[in-house]
Amino acid sequence: MKEEKKMTQAGLEIRPVTLRQAKEFVAQNHRHHLPPQGHKFSIGLYAGDRMVGCAICGRPVSRYLDNNETCEITRLCTDGTENACSMLYGACCRIAREMGYKKMITYTLASENGASLRAGGFQCEGIAGGEMWTGTRKKDNGVPKEKKYRWSRILRK
């Protein structure tokens, strides 16, 4: 219950949002990624009636990690509101745990420091993947061509 109190004191509130709402926010605010195609769930972070951040969670993009026990935060985006990233990461993990997931993963670019992830209990698993899509379609999707790090957090009941 302390966490709910903190959200109210900070004037920020986690609310469910549709994929469409989350994708619109990501399209307008994300520094380097387009919105993903689908999701399992999406949440928004609000200051009053204004959305200041959102997170989109779904199946792991890597088919090797898609084991029905792992959920991936495919996009997390804020307008720069203080502590917004940490609040969204925490809420995503709580929701996924309640849905029965055992592990949460996400990725950052090598140029991002991952401070909010470390603060949220995530561990860096190291470099994951190359600089661009290697499949036969060679999809680019406007993703920066730099190494990515995979982060994970075990979700305990």
Side-chain angles (χ1 to χ4, degrees), residues 16-47:
V17 295
T18 65
L19 179 59
R20 177 174 286 174
Q21 290 171 301
K23 287 173 74 168
E24 286 173 6
F25 189 87
V26 169
Q28 293 171 4
N29 294 284
H30 204 285
R31 293 187 313 256
H32 51 73
H33 274 23
L34 299 172
Q37 292 300 308
H39 77 151
K40 290 284 185 177
F41 66 90
S42 296
I43 57 173
L45 182 64
Y46 284 83

Side-chain angles (χ1 to χ4, degrees), residues 131-149:
E131 295 179 4
M132 68 176 283
W133 179 264
T134 57
T136 57
R137 292 181 287 164
K138 300 231 186 272
K139 288 181 9 180
D140 178 324
N141 290 341
V143 176
K145 301 208 178 8
E146 68 177 272
K147 297 285 186 184
K148 284 91 179 159
Y149 285 95

Side-chain angles (χ1 to χ4, degrees), residues 53-119:
C54 72
I56 302 172
C57 299
R59 293 171 48 195
V61 173
S62 169
R63 67 178 179 250
Y64 301 110
L65 301 175
D66 189 7
N67 60 6
N68 293 322
E69 293 185 349
T70 303
C71 188
E72 181 176 333
I73 301 170
T74 56
R75 291 295 180 281
L76 190 133
C77 180
T78 75
D79 66 359
T81 298
E82 189 173 350
N83 298 322
C85 291
S86 298
M87 290 179 73
L88 286 163
Y89 283 130
C92 288
C93 290
R94 288 189 302 277
I95 293 165
R97 182 183 61 228
E98 289 301 318
M99 292 176 72
Y101 289 101
K102 307 284 188 246
K103 183 178 184 179
M104 180 66 82
I105 62 170
T106 195
Y107 296 85
T108 61
L109 297 175
S111 60
E112 298 171 317
N113 67 20
S116 294
L117 287 161
R118 282 192 299 279

